[in-house]
Amino acid sequence: MSKAEVGGVMGRFTTDTELVAAVRAASAQGHDRLEAFAPFPVPGLAEALGFQPRPIPVYALGAGVLAAAGVLFLQWFSSVIDYPVVVGGKPLASWPAFLPVTFEVGILVAALTAVVMMLAGNRLPRPHHPVFDYPAFGRASDDGFFLMIHTPDPDSARRCLQGLGAEDIEEVGT
């Protein structure tokens, strides 16, 4: 594999504590593009990788409120300004009749915004990831703990993983 095709170097660790320690050590050595794979949630791994929470709830709330306001305005405009028809002596701007649709559209848009932002934030859908070509990666769902260092210099990443005690170290394509 040529250096232009190398996306990173991946190594396997035997325990979750070794993986967390390796992530912290690799970060301390200056590697900032790290990706870890484990068969179950590992306490402390997200913090070691430098995970930052995303503002998805704020954006979902904002989108839901804007959509609800837009639908409320649309209903008011159509029944009061555009096509005013008095039905059964009720007022033109019958707010209680507008609320169910306003609520439903607000919830729908907020949920769809959250789902789309979650997918975009996780870079999904991605039908094929280069780590699937890594032969030992089949153990990621069983008992393997993997660390991938994304780097343009695979030699330094290989030395780093060897120094951290990784097994099955291999270059992974782009």
Side-chain angles (χ1 to χ4, degrees):
M1 185 178 305
S2 71
K3 277 196 173 190
E5 297 173 345
V6 175
V9 179
M10 179 173 266
R12 181 176 61 84
F13 294 90
T14 54
T15 66
D16 58 341
T17 54
E18 287 179 9
L19 177 64
V20 173
V23 168
R24 288 194 175 115
S27 294
Q29 292 180 18
H31 297 284
D32 58 347
R33 295 189 58 218
L34 303 173
E35 205 170 353
F37 305 92
F40 53 83
V42 177
L45 184 59
E47 293 81 15
L49 287 168
F51 174 75
Q52 297 293 323
R54 296 184 182 103
I56 292 175
V58 174
Y59 287 121
L61 176 66
V65 167
L66 284 176
V71 166
L72 187 62
F73 173 75
L74 182 67
Q75 292 177 91
W76 172 84
F77 181 82
S78 64
S79 69
V80 174
I81 305 296
D82 192 35
Y83 195 69
V85 175
V86 176
V87 177
K90 294 180 183 169
L92 294 175
S94 179
W95 300 108
F98 300 162
L99 292 180
V101 174
T102 302
F103 176 76
E104 291 295 330
V105 169
I107 295 297
L108 175 68
V109 169
L112 289 177
T113 301
V115 168
V116 168
M117 288 188 68
M118 181 270 306
L119 290 173
N122 291 326
R123 297 181 306 245
L124 294 174
R126 187 171 185 177
H128 181 75
H129 193 283
V131 298
F132 297 137
D133 296 331
Y134 177 60
F137 194 70
R139 297 181 67 178
S141 61
D142 185 25
D143 65 349
F145 300 92
F146 296 88
L147 175 61
M148 181 171 178
I149 301 176
H150 296 274
T151 179
D153 181 19
D155 296 329
S156 70
R158 182 180 289 278
R159 285 191 303 274
C160 175
L161 287 172
Q162 285 172 342
L164 296 172
E167 303 169 1
D168 300 327
I169 300 170
E170 264 191 55
E171 295 176 357
V172 179
T174 55

